[in-house]
Amino acid sequence: MRFYLTCMLFLCCLGVSARQSGKISITIPRTTLDTAFRLLETKTGWHISFESSRVKHLNVAARTFRDMTPEAVLTSLLAGTHLSFRKSGMNVLIIPRPPAKTLSGFVSDAGSGERLPGVTLAAPDFQQGTVTNNFGFYSLSLPADSLRLQVGYMGYRRLDTVLFLRDDAHLNLMLEPVTQQLHEITVKGTAAESIEESSQMSRITLPLGVVGSTPRILGEKDLFKTLQLLPGVKQGTEGTSALLVRGGTPDQNLILLDGAPMYNPMHLLGVFSTFNTAALKDVTLYKGAFPARFGGRLSSIVDITTKDGNMQQMHGEAGIGLLAASLSVEGPIKKDRTSFIVSARRSYPDLAATFFVKRNDKGLEKFKSYFYDVNAKIHHRISDRDQLYFSLYSGRDQLHIRTRDIPDKEEQKDDYSVNNTNVSWGNHIASFRWNHVFSSRLFSNAMLIGSRYQFKVKNSLEEMYNGSYFSDRLDLHTGIEDYGGRMDFDFRPKPSHTIRFGTSAMYRVFSPGVMRQRQEGSGVGVLDSTNANERVRGAEFDLYAEDDWELTRRLKVNAGLHWSGFAVQGRFYNSLQPRLSARYMLPGNWALKASYSRMTQFIHLLANNTISLPTDLWVPATKYIRPQQADQYAVGVAKNLFGGKYEFSAEAYYKSMRNVIEYKDGMGYITSIRDNQWEQSIAVGKGSAYGLELLLKKPTGRLTGWIGYTLGWSYRQLDGVSMGKRFPYKYDRRHDLHILAAYKLRKNIELTASWTYQSAAPLTVSVGQYMSIYGSNLQWISQVSGRNNVRLLPYHRLDLGVNFTKVKKNGMIRTWNISILNAYNQFNPFFATEAAWRGDERRPGKVTMQLSNLMPFMPSVSYQLKW
């Protein structure tokens, strides 16, 4: 009797312990289902009731559960059977599994009606969940008459509700933003998807609030500058916004704005990116493990979505800084039916610089330098099943300089020399999109796309000397145009299974370069020539299928296949590109991830071996130049630490590239146009890049930010370059460390700081000189041992900022930002040239380098007002 009471007391204690902790650990041997029920009863203190005929002949495999809720254990035991359960207190009833019902709809901002991508919807009782797609659509299929639903999204109040389902239901959910009244200091939120749950690796979703929290250059928030602070992403040269991802080049990044491609998205010769953050809603960077729905580039995908416009009331945002002013307005055209957003920005460096430039250069007659960009979008809801979107973007840079040189001597008073230079470049994009919900599980997106990129240079020189007149006019222009369409489908048979498939077609027109030169002397034509690389027309086609499937609780796989073809100059290239990503849950909730992806790119960028400039030529694969191709392998681990307060990830990658191109030694932009054959000016070869990336991120709390580190190598090997030997690529930097932090000092004061360190970049420097006789002249010839044969100085910089925010009585929110770039005035070379060689026959010569700096210690201030 005493033994019996002791056993009962022990079992009760186990039950109490399980109820207190909420989780249990239990080992189930290979046995029948009813025996497994008895073991679970013993562990939990539950009373499980069932009809023996329903569990007869049902067996379970041996398994061990650690630190899981009893409900999750029972759900796992019943998986694959026709049974489910209901629980009331400590009583559990085993019942027939009801037919699956599908809940679908859109998740939107309760205040503006803006559709929210990446929202997490979880059904905790079933250990199931899903995430909204890029257009805010979700579909959740579960065998239940009632459903407890938890909805979470960063910056919004968590929604926790119980729904009763009779049949399939369409339900649009509205989330309330966290109050903007700044009464609370602590920032709380729910990540779009747990870092260890996702099968996707090498992907980073960047909250736009982080862009506003980073220190600013001349008061301007810059999206690409923030992306450059992530591991695996480099900035190249000081002050440029070019993205260099995992040893790649700027052309190997697919920049999508509302699904339309952009080329050279830079302002002020690459100092700023072309994106006005006031118009943006969502930004996702893929560095590898590319889903099958993306194609056409080797190194990265930057998927940028603009706001849809407020459906409820008018809102606006205005800002002014040392460089530019911006204005953004959004609101309903017809409430709950049609909305709009217009966002514009214009710089004015010419207004400030003209005064100082003219003081130092008396011959300057005109100096104009500015950029502008405009985003516009209209969103119309036909019904809950149909949505229409029309997006426009126009951005342009303009540089105009005119100088006049007049001799001082009286006898030459009629002589003069006038030099006029006009440079302009920009993107113009339009897209029309139609979202349609076929059923609770099938969603579609159809698009029409048009884009154009142009770069133009006009230079003229007019001279009058001793009554003799001479003029020289040079016009250059290059560009690329895209016209096409795309169709995507999103099918979700069950919460743990998502299938995507689709197709696209794009017609492209390339203008590799046209140069016209006209010279006249005393009214007589001396030279009139036009050198033009022929316009090249090509058609690109894509088909893809992608399957994201949670096969077991531990194993999740994203597998896909992308086919692409390119018809050009009577030749047809086609490529089959497999994609595979997998996640396996290790003990301790560590996620082990691995991926493989093949990418094919039918576009090349002929770039100078310095920085990314608008003069770089976009050229296609031709009948002589094959498309670029890359295979990338990656493996890594990821985990949420300390209850989700921190995210940690580590990834190692290896990327091999084929058919990459470079200018041959001694060739460049002008020579490739003058010779009418850019294809003869280039070398073709292979490249490789490999490394390790570490990221520790703190997304919530008073202190937010991340620490990112990259250990990387990048090489190229091309015939005709560096004597055919392998050489470190111009963007090769061994170590790359970024620290970004934002701290809420008070409810209205935020301190921000970022520190960057990069190893020295490689540079080509001659190792000697020799004298050569050319005709009757003697000239010095530089001797080079190989491309990128030396490294100069490491790069490091500290930027600081502070935001002062105040909510006014009328509801307006004003923010003052004060930023200091390069706080300790580190000299980071922007450009390096060989100044002179010194030496004689008795001692070896030494080369002297001329280094220039773009960004010294630089304070700035800006003002922003929201209403």
Side-chain angles (χ1 to χ4, degrees), residues 78-129:
L78 295 176
T81 72
H82 60 284
L83 301 175
S84 183
F85 70 93
R86 286 182 180 174
K87 180 175 175 291
S88 177
M90 301 298 289
N91 296 310
V92 177
L93 178 63
I94 304 300
I95 59 174
R97 186 181 298 273
K101 298 179 179 63
T102 301
L103 180 69
S104 63
F106 293 89
V107 181
S108 306
D109 183 300
S112 66
E114 189 87 26
R115 296 289 165 81
L116 301 176
V119 177
T120 300
L121 298 96
D125 294 337
F126 294 88
Q127 299 292 304
Q128 296 283 356

Side-chain angles (χ1 to χ4, degrees), residues 304-325:
I304 303 170
T305 306
T306 60
K307 294 178 181 178
D308 298 334
N310 196 305
M311 282 280 187
Q312 305 300 321
Q313 54 186 341
M314 296 293 294
H315 283 281
E317 177 180 334
I320 186 169
L322 299 181
L323 177 71

Side-chain angles (χ1 to χ4, degrees), residues 111 310-313 331-339 381:
N310 196 305
M311 282 280 187
Q312 305 300 321
Q313 54 186 341
I333 298 175
K334 184 177 181 181
K335 195 172 182 180
D336 293 324
R337 182 64 66 179
T338 308
S339 65
R381 293 181 183 173

Side-chain angles (χ1 to χ4, degrees), residues 290-293 500 543-548 557-563 576-581 596-598:
F290 303 105
R293 59 188 179 272
R500 297 181 177 92
L543 289 170
Y544 75 88
E546 176 187 338
D547 195 343
D548 194 65
V557 174
N558 184 300
L561 195 61
H562 187 107
W563 174 86
L576 199 60
Q577 305 155 44
R579 317 283 174 80
L580 178 65
S581 299
Y596 164 76
S597 60
R598 170 169 290 183

Side-chain angles (χ1 to χ4, degrees), residues 128-130 193 196-200 293 490-500 545-560 579-585:
Q128 296 283 356
T130 189
E193 187 176 15
E196 66 261 20
E197 289 296 328
S198 171
S199 60
Q200 181 70 50
R293 59 188 179 272
D490 189 328
F491 177 59
R492 305 194 175 191
K494 57 182 181 179
S496 59
H497 194 185
T498 300
I499 299 173
R500 297 181 177 92
E546 176 187 338
D547 195 343
D548 194 65
W549 197 351
E550 188 173 7
L551 300 174
T552 69
R553 191 184 68 85
R554 292 187 178 275
L555 180 61
K556 191 174 184 180
V557 174
N558 184 300
R579 317 283 174 80
L580 178 65
S581 299
R583 179 269 291 161
Y584 184 79
M585 295 300 298

Side-chain angles (χ1 to χ4, degrees), residues 251 339 345 433 540:
D251 66 298
S339 65
R345 182 173 55 162
R433 189 169 74 236
E540 184 174 340

Side-chain angles (χ1 to χ4, degrees), residues 40-41 45 155 174 278 342 351 368 385 389 503 588 751 825:
L40 188 60
E41 283 181 329
M174 310 293 285
V342 176
L351 302 181
K368 180 186 292 185
R385 289 184 175 271
Y389 303 83
T503 183
L751 306 178
N825 200 26

Side-chain angles (χ1 to χ4, degrees), residues 50-103:
F50 56 91
E51 292 184 15
S52 58
S53 60
R54 289 177 176 167
V55 301
K56 190 176 182 180
H57 306 305
L58 293 179
N59 298 316
V60 295
R63 65 191 77 179
T64 298
F65 303 93
R66 289 189 177 89
D67 295 327
M68 294 181 61
T69 63
E71 290 84 357
V73 173
L74 186 54
T75 299
S76 179
L77 292 174
L78 295 176
T81 72
H82 60 284
L83 301 175
S84 183
F85 70 93
R86 286 182 180 174
K87 180 175 175 291
S88 177
M90 301 298 289
N91 296 310
V92 177
L93 178 63
I94 304 300
I95 59 174
R97 186 181 298 273
K101 298 179 179 63
T102 301
L103 180 69

